[in-house]
Amino acid sequence: MNPQLSRDIDKRRTFAIISHPDAGKTTVTEKLLLYSGAIQLAGTVKAKRGRQFATSDWMEIERQRGISVTSSVLNFSYKEHELNLIDTPGHKDFSEDTYRTLTAVDCALMVVDAAKGIESQTKKLFEICRMRQIPIIAFINKLDRPCKEPIELIDEIESVLGISCYPITWPLGQGPDFRGVYNRLEKNLSAFTPGSDQSRQVPVAKLDLGDPNLNEFCPPELISALVDEIAMLDGAGADFSRESFLKGNLAPVFFGSALNNFGIETLLNTLISLAPSPGSRPTKTRVVDPHEEKFSGFIFKIQANMDPNHRDRVAFLRICSGKFERGMKVFHSRLEREFRLGRPTQFLAQDRSLVDTAVAGDIVGVHDPGKFLIGDSFTEGEKLHFTGIPVFAPENFARVILRDPLKSKQLNKALTELSEEGVLQLLFPFHSSDKFLGAVGILQFDVVKFRIEKEYNLAMDFVILPYTLSRWVSFEDKNLLESFEDNCREQLCKDKDGHTVVLVDEAWRLKYVQEKFPKIALSPTAPI
Ligand code: G4P
């Protein structure tokens, strides 16, 4: 083991930001960049709807709508640590891309709007984190506005998401009375000054709860309420356990206001002190330790046409072990051949820069010669296949109507390529020679239409199908599968790998199928 390489790897923090739209994810992202020194002035990244566009708005459709449909990756340094942040789409609709992002990270930062609490999209994303046992840090945002009671928010996270919480900071007042947060581990109070310049770093005064000047800064009744609440929190639960956090069983919670830059520095410090460094990753044959000297990694996302001047495809690679060097030849385990990974790129704000080296934990974009698929593994020669990049069951379905039926061959090519990129799932119904498109989010169909028209020059329309859920079907006994297939042909499709998928229009029908065929296994993710 190379000690320098090990030290470099341990300084990586690779995390995703998850939230419901409008909770403040973009603002948090931007302020993390501001406080890390990656940008000097906030206001350069944030998309102002219809005016300026976010870093992740690579695709034209995003520009047209002022939304973000693909997740973007940002790399920045903070206190000698290298942080890889993966943003997830901010639109109410989201795609498989959002889910898959979570396979490439070691931790997730969950942003919650203090007035709204846990909203639907946060819940969905959280469930994926849970499934993958990803540690979660919660940031309750917008304390400068009237909001729910902090204790109510904690109860909500615990009951709706089913995870225990440990509030590390606790607010002193809220809305117009918001005066700061008390840090239960550091045992001091960070004072909030409303009305500061939001585009630059704001110095924060740290006070002791026993400080005689405290009353000048805040009404005594707020302080006594805080003292009571802290006593209640301390009395109610055990000490903070990093071990429970790392297992995904306990979420440290922070309160703040991203717009006012308040609480951001604490988050950054938490990311480097509490969040995990790159961990081991399972493959079909063995577990890969990040400190192994030999390079390995997998593709979790493929993005076409990021640069409108070049028709390029960029594959996003999560490095799982060792060190990646520019120009390096690597072994592609599925195709069993070597590739030289060209133009390794990292991303910050609107800029891309070529990287010379990257180590386990890092995310780099590499040129995809059109041969790579999501989930592909690369090594220095060993035949490894990283597991755990699930394909998630679509919840939206459509058929394509081609305006010029003579172009069906081109359409097939377009659909196959887009499905390889993970933009859609292709399903082949049992009862017809049609092709169904499946997507986790309905907006994905707009993306598909836009890209087919623009990139493949094919005019087409969609007919939305009435199904709302799907599950992969398996039986231990192959004969049972056959009789099931005979019984339910109308509702069945094959996916591109030949696995059987059942489509239903309402959730109760799945229950019905399960009751009728008790030996059936219905899975929300595709078999690996
Ligand atoms: P998102 O990426 O999760 O969708 O949220 P985003 O950061 O875009 O924030 C949504 C809105 O909430 C924005 O206002 C943003 O300025 C505001 N916001 C974020 N953090 C805070 C906070 O701590 N306090 C308050 N009061 N507001 C906050 P907007 O008016 O929708 O957009 P904009 O015109 O300000 O960009």
Side-chain angles (χ1 to χ4, degrees):
M1 199 180 291
N2 173 338
Q4 183 57 46
L5 176 61
S6 274
R7 277 195 294 276
D8 286 348
I9 292 171
D10 290 341
K11 291 198 163 154
R12 262 57 191 177
R13 298 289 181 273
T14 303
F15 65 103
I17 300 207
I18 61 172
S19 77
H20 194 83
D22 275 343
K25 186 168 53 69
T26 317
T27 313
V28 170
T29 303
E30 184 180 55
K31 299 302 170 82
L32 290 174
L33 295 179
L34 179 72
Y35 272 77
S36 68
I39 57 171
Q40 262 64 52
L41 204 61
T44 47
V45 179
K46 171 81 179 73
K48 296 274 176 211
R49 283 161 200 89
R51 280 181 272 155
Q52 192 189 333
F53 302 102
T55 39
S56 54
D57 287 352
W58 282 309
M59 292 169 65
E60 209 173 321
I61 185 166
E62 298 181 310
R63 292 203 192 102
Q64 286 179 354
R65 296 184 167 217
I67 53 161
S68 169
V69 287
T70 52
S71 30
S72 65
V73 180
L74 298 170
N75 311 91
F76 59 98
S77 314
Y78 180 69
K79 292 192 179 165
E80 294 177 9
H81 286 72
E82 296 299 322
L83 283 76
N84 294 280
L85 180 163
I86 310 192
D87 186 17
T88 47
H91 188 260
K92 72 170 166 36
D93 183 74
F94 59 98
S95 66
E96 302 213 288
D97 216 33
T98 322
Y99 284 161
R100 263 192 240 110
T101 294
L102 297 172
T103 63
V105 298
D106 302 305
C107 178
L109 175 60
M110 175 173 83
V111 180
V112 176
D113 184 328
K116 298 195 176 136
I118 298 297
E119 298 172 86
S120 58
Q121 184 155 322
T122 316
K123 189 164 179 274
K124 269 181 146 179
L125 289 164
F126 176 85
E127 275 158 12
I128 308 290
C129 292
R130 226 16 211 317
M131 193 171 117
R132 305 190 40 77
Q133 291 176 308
I134 297 173
I136 302 267
I137 298 169
F139 181 71
I140 302 189
N141 190 27
K142 307 196 189 180
L143 261 286
D144 59 313
R145 278 197 189 158
C147 53
K148 294 189 178 183
E149 285 302 319
I151 200 72
E152 199 186 323
L153 287 160
I154 299 292
D155 282 349
E156 199 174 316
I157 298 178
E158 295 197 330
S159 61
V160 178
L161 301 183
I163 187 171
S164 304
C165 288
Y166 186 96
I168 291 189
T169 66
W170 194 255
L172 173 63
Q174 53 144 294
D177 294 331
F178 183 50
R179 290 291 182 277
V181 293
Y182 178 75
N183 189 312
R184 293 173 66 206
L185 300 184
E186 290 176 6
K187 305 215 179 300
N188 61 23
L189 189 75
S190 297
F192 172 63
T193 336
S196 315
D197 179 357
Q198 294 164 349
S199 63
R200 293 172 199 279
Q201 292 196 20
V202 180
V204 172
K206 301 255 167 150
L207 301 165
D208 191 277
L209 268 192
D211 194 315
N213 297 325
L214 212 59
N215 284 350
E216 287 172 26
F217 150 79
C218 155
E221 56 276 16
L222 278 186
I223 308 276
S224 63
L226 175 77
V227 170
D228 289 350
E229 284 163 4
I230 298 295
M232 184 195 70
L233 290 173
D234 288 349
D239 288 345
F240 177 70
S241 153
R242 183 165 183 245
E243 206 187 319
S244 303
F245 158 63
L246 293 179
K247 284 188 183 147
N249 294 329
L250 180 72
V253 180
F254 297 85
F255 290 83
S257 167
L259 188 66
N260 293 289
N261 305 356
F262 191 77
I264 298 295
E265 204 169 358
T266 311
L267 273 186
L268 276 174
N269 288 329
T270 303
L271 281 164
I272 62 172
S273 61
L274 280 189
S277 52
S280 303
R281 295 255 159 185
T283 70
K284 280 187 184 165
T285 40
R286 67 180 184 90
V287 172
V288 171
D289 184 292
H291 300 99
E292 288 176 20
E293 255 176 68
K294 292 216 162 134
F295 158 84
S296 68
F298 67 87
I299 292 174
F300 65 95
K301 167 185 166 74
I302 292 176
Q303 167 92 48
N305 303 328
M306 277 176 50
D307 181 347
N309 299 321
H310 305 99
R311 236 185 102 99
D312 61 351
R313 272 169 55 124
V314 174
F316 287 85
L317 188 69
R318 152 85 196 208
I319 302 176
C320 298
S321 67
K323 185 173 178 177
F324 171 80
E325 291 183 62
R326 184 160 153 191
M328 184 176 187
K329 265 194 178 169
V330 294
F331 178 71
H332 186 292
S333 298
R334 180 176 55 83
L335 298 173
E336 299 194 29
R337 57 165 277 206
E338 281 196 331
F339 280 92
R340 199 180 290 282
L341 294 181
R343 300 206 295 275
T345 311
Q346 289 193 322
F347 305 84
L348 176 63
Q350 256 89 12
D351 304 328
R352 303 193 201 183
S353 58
L354 286 182
V355 284
D356 290 323
T357 58
V359 304
D362 281 335
I363 309 282
V364 288
V366 295
H367 170 68
D368 170 15
K371 301 219 160 25
F372 301 164
L373 300 180
I374 286 159
D376 279 356
S377 305
F378 294 98
T379 69
E380 279 190 48
E382 189 179 348
K383 198 168 174 210
L384 292 177
H385 295 276
F386 285 96
T387 52
I389 305 144
V391 174
F392 294 96
E395 291 173 15
N396 297 280
F397 303 85
R399 274 175 54 227
V400 179
I401 311 274
L402 196 53
R403 293 207 198 130
D404 178 355
L406 294 178
K407 294 205 169 151
S408 66
K409 213 168 145 198
Q410 287 95 316
L411 178 70
N412 281 345
K413 178 172 183 280
L415 293 177
T416 308
E417 285 183 4
L418 291 174
S419 83
E420 281 170 5
E421 217 186 277
V423 175
L424 59 92
Q425 291 184 47
L426 267 184
L427 296 168
F428 305 90
F430 275 47
H431 63 274
S432 79
S433 58
D434 221 349
K435 279 189 193 70
F436 289 174
L437 311 191
V440 170
I442 189 119
L443 181 77
Q444 208 63 6
F445 295 139
D446 285 354
V447 174
V448 171
K449 179 174 164 66
F450 183 87
R451 292 190 52 184
I452 287 184
E453 294 189 342
K454 182 134 183 111
E455 292 166 29
Y456 297 89
N457 202 18
L458 295 170
M460 53 146 294
D461 295 298
F462 279 118
V463 176
I464 299 293
L465 299 166
Y467 308 108
T468 60
L469 270 177
S470 58
R471 289 289 180 265
W472 276 272
V473 177
S474 60
F475 279 96
E476 289 211 345
D477 181 342
K478 287 270 171 291
N479 296 331
L480 281 178
L481 179 64
E482 276 168 24
S483 87
F484 171 75
E485 288 179 348
D486 285 343
N487 256 280
C488 307
R489 293 191 78 73
E490 289 294 304
Q491 284 166 273
L492 298 182
C493 294
K494 289 276 183 200
D495 72 4
K496 67 176 175 26
D497 299 316
H499 300 300
T500 304
V501 183
V502 59
L503 311 185
V504 292
D505 53 358
E506 286 183 60
W508 66 264
R509 283 197 203 275
L510 272 186
K511 260 195 177 158
Y512 176 76
V513 169
Q514 183 78 72
E515 276 164 19
K516 201 163 164 215
F517 298 90
K519 292 203 169 139
I520 193 175
L522 296 173
S523 165
T525 54
I528 293 172

